[in-house]
Amino acid sequence: MQQAVYVRDLGNMEYGDAWRVQDALLLENTNKKIKLAKGEAAGETIHHLLFCEHPPVYTLGKSGKEEHVLISKEELAKRNIGYYPTNRGGDITFHGPGQVVGYPIIDLEKFFTDIGRYLRFLEDVIILTLAHYGLKGERSPGETGVWLDPSNKMMARKICAMGVRCSRWVTMHGFALNVNTDLSFFDRIIPCGIFHKGVTSIQKVIGTSVDVTDVHRHLIRHFADIFSSDVKQISRDELSLLLSHNEEAV
C-alpha cells in the first residue's frame, strides 16, 4: 500500500520559522506514536515533504565544529547572515536564495527502519533530478550527500548537502540542493567540514539559471517513485487542517 506524502512549498522562510514548522509536524507524529504504544486512540501518522528557500544562513550540525565557521559573529551580523546550531546530523553548511531545501517529515516505520537506507534514498532522488539537467550526480564513499566527479580529487565538488534527525523513526531536516545559489557564501565556511573538496550549483555547471519550480517538479516525481508513495500537493490552509495541535507554528 502506497503511503500518502503531503507536499507544501513554504516559499521564502527564515530558518528558525521553518525549523518550528518541522518541530510541530514531528511532535504531532511522535505524540501519536506514543499514544498508540499505550493503546490509546491517536490516529495515523502523516508524512510531509516541505520545500523552502531561506534568507542567507549558516547551520551547524550536532557533530559539527565551530572552527569550521570562518566568519566572526560580528561579521555575520554586519552582513545580515543568520547562524543556527541545530540538532541535525552533519557539520556546517549554508542555506540561501537560489537553493532548494527539502524537509521530509516522514514516519520511517511505515517504510523501513534504516537511517542509512533513508539517506541513500534521498541521494537517489537528487541524482535522478540532476540527470534532467544533464548532470551526473554521484555518491562519495563515506560522505553523505551528492557530488559531481567525486573520484577526481581536482574536480570533486558537492552539489547537495544532507543532514537529518530522527525521533521515534520520524524524520526531520533533510537536503539542500544548490540550484542558482551564490556560492561565494561557502567561502566563509569549511562546507560539511570537508577541506579538500569544493561546492557547485546546477547554474554554475550548465551556465544558465534554472527554474526552481521545475526542480521542485522533478524532486516530487522522483521522491514519489523512490519512496513508492502517493504525493499530494497541498496549500498552507490544508496543512493546518492536518495538524490537531501546534497550529500556531504553521
Side-chain angles (χ1 to χ4, degrees):
M1 179 179 177
Q2 285 191 324
Q3 295 291 315
V5 177
Y6 295 91
V7 179
R8 172 186 163 196
D9 183 1
L10 300 174
N12 193 315
M13 180 176 282
E14 198 273 335
Y15 184 83
D17 292 336
W19 192 354
R20 283 187 283 275
V21 172
Q22 293 183 72
D23 268 337
L25 296 173
L26 180 139
L27 182 62
E28 179 74 8
N29 277 329
T30 55
N31 281 344
K32 287 179 179 179
K33 299 185 79 166
I34 291 170
K35 289 180 180 179
L36 287 169
K38 294 178 179 179
E40 301 174 12
E44 291 292 321
T45 51
I46 300 173
H47 312 295
H48 304 275
L49 174 58
L50 309 177
F51 288 120
C52 66
E53 179 181 86
H54 295 305
V57 60
Y58 295 116
T59 68
L60 183 69
K62 60 186 179 182
S63 60
K65 298 179 180 179
E66 288 206 352
E67 55 263 37
H68 294 162
V69 184
L70 308 178
I71 181 172
S72 68
K73 292 182 179 179
E74 292 75 19
E75 190 67 14
L76 286 171
K78 180 180 178 181
R79 294 177 178 271
N80 199 29
I81 303 173
Y83 174 72
Y84 284 85
T86 74
N87 58 359
R88 63 164 172 79
D91 206 290
I92 189 74
T93 195
F94 168 75
H95 300 308
Q99 185 185 71
V100 172
V101 181
Y103 295 131
I105 295 90
I106 63 175
D107 181 0
L108 285 180
E109 283 194 307
K110 292 184 175 179
F111 294 90
F112 46 78
T113 52
D114 185 331
I115 294 297
R117 185 181 176 190
Y118 171 62
L119 288 168
R120 303 296 83 77
F121 272 33
L122 291 182
E123 289 167 349
D124 284 339
V125 172
I126 301 300
I127 289 168
L128 290 170
T129 297
L130 290 173
H132 290 280
Y133 302 95
L135 303 181
K136 185 182 179 183
E138 298 180 77
R139 295 182 177 90
S140 180
E143 297 172 325
T144 300
V146 178
W147 305 74
L148 302 185
D149 301 303
S151 60
N152 185 328
K153 291 183 179 180
M154 300 298 293
M155 294 288 292
R157 60 262 196 236
K158 187 175 244 183
I159 196 166
C160 183
M162 293 182 183
V164 302
R165 178 186 175 229
C166 189
S167 175
R168 294 182 180 271
W169 292 110
V170 178
T171 66
M172 66 178 291
H173 298 296
F175 61 84
L177 175 61
N178 295 328
V179 180
N180 305 311
T181 316
D182 180 351
L183 299 175
S184 67
F185 283 97
F186 288 97
D187 295 338
R188 302 181 182 95
I189 60 173
I190 299 172
C192 303
I194 299 171
F195 293 82
H196 58 288
K197 295 179 182 178
V199 294
T200 193
S201 67
I202 298 176
Q203 180 185 36
K204 182 173 182 179
V205 179
I206 70 174
T208 186
S209 62
V210 177
D211 184 352
V212 168
T213 302
D214 190 56
V215 177
H216 285 180
R217 181 170 58 84
H218 293 307
L219 287 169
I220 290 168
R221 181 161 68 86
H222 293 306
F223 189 95
D225 289 342
I226 294 296
F227 285 88
S228 299
S229 56
D230 179 18
V231 172
K232 304 175 184 294
Q233 297 197 53
I234 62 173
S235 68
R236 182 187 184 95
D237 291 340
E238 289 171 314
L239 178 57
S240 296
L241 291 173
L242 292 173
L243 287 165
S244 60
H245 303 291
N246 300 310
E247 290 184 357
E248 68 276 6
V250 184

